[in-house]
Amino acid sequence: MAMALSGSAHLTTGFHHHLRRVEFPFISHLTTAKAPRRIGLSFTVYVSSTKTMPGGQHSSDSSLEIIGGARDSLLPVFESLQHPYHPFPLIGWNRHVETIFAAFFRSLPDVRFRRECLRMKDNGTVALDWVSGDDCQLPAESPVLILLPGLTGGSGDTYVRHMLVRARNKGWRVVVFNSRGCGDSPVTTRQFYSASFTEDLREVVKHVGTRYRKANLYAAGWSLGANILVRYLGQEFHTCALSGAVSLCNPFNLVIADEDFRKGFNIVYDKALARSLRKIFEKHSLLFEDMGSEYNIQLAANAKSVKEFDEGLTRVSFGFMSADDYYCNSSSSDSIKHVQTPLLCIQENPNCLLIVTPKGGHLGWVAGAEAPLGAPWTDPVVMEFLEHLERGRTDAFPSCNKSNVVQHSSEELQILEV
């Protein structure tokens, strides 16, 4: 199932750490520095949490820095980025405290869903949770937002619900894509889902687009869902049906994420997620009786870590030689350079927008007007970006929706640091 893990603090706080270690093959060495650094796509950018003041001095105020061709047209779009990022006192200043607090104490908005079970080409099944009543209340041309939760996550997770409510309140039609076995979706084959597998998302996008032909489609993914989403965007760059996308807490390089996952306090998250994977497996264990080949069902059923589960089951299901081979060939860092769809994420690409917060745990962001129990700080940023695309008031990010694929200029790279 890989390491795009909901609830793993190091994946969020390691943004600069991962950038410094250069897991992205198309970027030359990029460091947190006061001087601009040229990266492989021939842009000059700052990756720094300081602000240059008159006389060459630097301020450490968490101010927003934007360098790029479309800066003037894009910055006014993000009202929420006009202010410094202020982590909630005590909670937001330690990444592990924030991650755990958000997982256990963030409020859960009440949403009534209507479930649609969609059968895939290989007879697998995913569950699409729509907001009940939307077909009667929203016009056919309302934009549609597809949400992809993190590993073992689904429509019952707090971060998913808060994003859904915010988008729905702005008139968007929202659907949660519960992967095989997640969110109590049924498992009807011997294959779950993985960080490398984009076919389910491809079929879901096609299904939603066919149902709402007059609407523009968008998607937002967290953690493992973000990795799958970015891989899909890279694969579909010529025929992408999405008008825009958002990637949140994407580990990008699963090999490095795996290494970090077994260090220090991160082991706690590893064990917790392994326990969640085992629970999903136990519900459908009869499907895996008398499995031969390279499957190690006992290892998966008793996995103490995510890697053990992947070694016993996931990597065999998807044709990889080992868990390491699976991670190496499933990282979205290999796909993002091909993305031509407008994308808000924590990565560099001519069509991407980078936002880095100075503090935070994984899927935490306990900051902003609704902290500590309300919506994450990211929710208004995401909606400002998506609404901006839907309004179509800028040429900085031409949509590749339907067959309108546009070759983007390298001048469009934006890097935001909060």
Side-chain angles (χ1 to χ4, degrees):
M1 298 286 181
M3 267 60 55
L5 308 170
S6 55
S8 178
H10 75 285
L11 299 180
T12 305
T13 56
F15 289 166
H16 287 134
H17 167 67
H18 286 308
L19 288 173
R20 284 198 294 269
R21 292 181 63 174
V22 198
E23 70 271 37
F24 311 113
F26 61 100
I27 300 179
S28 61
H29 292 280
L30 180 62
T31 59
T32 303
K34 297 178 181 179
R37 174 76 61 140
R38 187 165 299 277
I39 60 178
L41 293 172
S42 71
F43 311 108
T44 302
V45 301
Y46 282 96
V47 182
S48 171
S49 58
T50 59
K51 179 178 179 180
T52 303
M53 305 297 290
Q57 296 179 337
H58 297 273
S59 167
S60 59
D61 61 358
S62 299
S63 296
L64 179 67
E65 293 188 32
I66 311 172
I67 300 175
R71 177 188 59 191
D72 293 339
S73 63
L74 279 174
L75 183 57
V77 172
F78 294 94
E79 192 281 331
S80 55
L81 296 182
Q82 307 299 318
H83 313 285
Y85 181 86
H86 292 302
F88 195 81
L90 299 180
I91 297 171
W93 290 99
N94 180 279
R95 63 185 184 273
H96 298 302
V97 171
E98 182 183 79
T99 299
I100 295 170
F101 179 89
F104 287 97
F105 299 106
R106 177 169 281 151
S107 61
L108 181 67
D110 185 24
V111 179
R112 185 177 178 83
F113 288 110
R114 173 180 60 82
R115 171 155 289 190
E116 175 185 13
C117 290
L118 188 64
R119 186 60 64 96
M120 302 288 100
K121 292 178 181 178
D122 68 345
N123 288 322
T125 305
V126 301
L128 302 181
D129 285 344
W130 304 85
V131 178
S132 179
D134 273 2
D135 281 342
C136 300
Q137 299 172 13
L138 295 176
E141 63 274 13
S142 297
V144 181
L145 177 59
I146 303 170
L147 301 180
L148 289 78
L151 178 62
T152 74
S155 55
D157 287 325
T158 60
Y159 62 90
V160 175
R161 292 275 187 100
H162 277 287
M163 186 73 257
L164 181 152
V165 169
R166 185 174 293 272
R168 180 60 187 82
N169 288 342
K170 292 181 177 295
W172 287 55
R173 192 186 312 276
V174 188
V175 57
V176 182
F177 170 22
N178 298 282
S179 293
R180 306 182 188 203
C182 298
D184 290 325
S185 62
V187 176
T188 52
T189 69
R190 291 176 170 179
Q191 189 175 64
F192 288 131
Y193 72 107
S194 75
S196 64
F197 190 61
T198 58
E199 190 57 36
D200 284 356
L201 175 58
R202 189 171 287 105
E203 292 192 47
V204 167
V205 171
K206 181 179 179 180
H207 172 75
V208 174
T210 300
R211 174 173 294 178
Y212 299 103
R213 297 180 183 274
K214 296 181 180 180
N216 290 324
L217 307 184
Y218 301 84
W222 292 265
S223 203
L224 177 66
N227 191 82
I228 294 172
L229 175 59
V230 172
R231 282 179 58 82
Y232 165 80
L233 295 175
Q235 294 169 2
E236 295 288 307
F237 65 97
H238 281 312
T239 57
C240 183
L242 297 177
S243 296
V246 179
S247 167
L248 298 161
C249 280
N250 190 336
F252 288 108
N253 188 305
L254 303 185
V255 175
I256 292 177
D258 173 55
E259 293 173 359
D260 289 346
F261 216 33
R262 298 190 302 271
K263 297 177 181 177
F265 194 82
N266 295 332
I267 295 174
V268 174
Y269 308 126
D270 193 13
K271 291 183 180 297
L273 283 168
R275 184 166 56 250
S276 297
L277 289 170
R278 293 199 308 270
K279 288 181 179 179
I280 293 176
F281 178 80
E282 288 168 3
K283 291 180 181 179
H284 311 283
S285 59
L286 293 180
L287 284 170
F288 299 90
E289 285 293 326
D290 301 324
M291 292 288 287
S293 185
E294 299 180 48
Y295 286 95
N296 189 335
I297 300 305
Q298 283 299 108
L299 179 63
N302 298 283
K304 299 297 190 294
S305 68
V306 174
K307 189 169 188 177
E308 285 187 0
F309 187 90
D310 288 339
E311 185 64 53
L313 183 66
T314 310
R315 66 93 179 170
V316 185
S317 297
F318 293 92
F320 295 100
M321 298 297 294
S322 65
D324 289 331
D325 180 44
Y326 163 47
Y327 299 152
C328 185
N329 289 283
S330 303
S331 299
S332 57
S333 58
D334 298 327
S335 304
I336 195 170
K337 58 181 175 289
H338 301 299
V339 173
Q340 294 191 31
T341 302
L343 176 62
L344 172 64
C345 68
I346 49 174
Q347 170 59 300
E348 290 79 8
N349 175 277
N351 311 306
C352 299
L353 200 64
L354 172 67
I355 299 178
V356 179
T357 58
K359 298 284 185 180
H362 190 59
L363 304 180
W365 293 297
V366 182
E370 297 185 40
L373 299 178
W377 173 88
T378 50
D379 286 8
V381 181
V382 170
M383 286 312 303
E384 285 167 358
F385 176 73
L386 294 177
E387 288 193 297
H388 175 61
L389 297 180
E390 178 66 8
R391 287 192 300 267
R393 293 181 178 177
T394 179
D395 295 327
F397 290 127
S399 171
C400 69
N401 187 37
K402 309 303 180 186
S403 60
N404 181 26
V405 179
V406 182
Q407 182 64 40
H408 297 281
S409 167
S410 63
E411 297 298 323
E412 295 165 359
L413 174 68
Q414 308 300 312
I415 296 213
L416 295 178
E417 179 149 346
V418 183

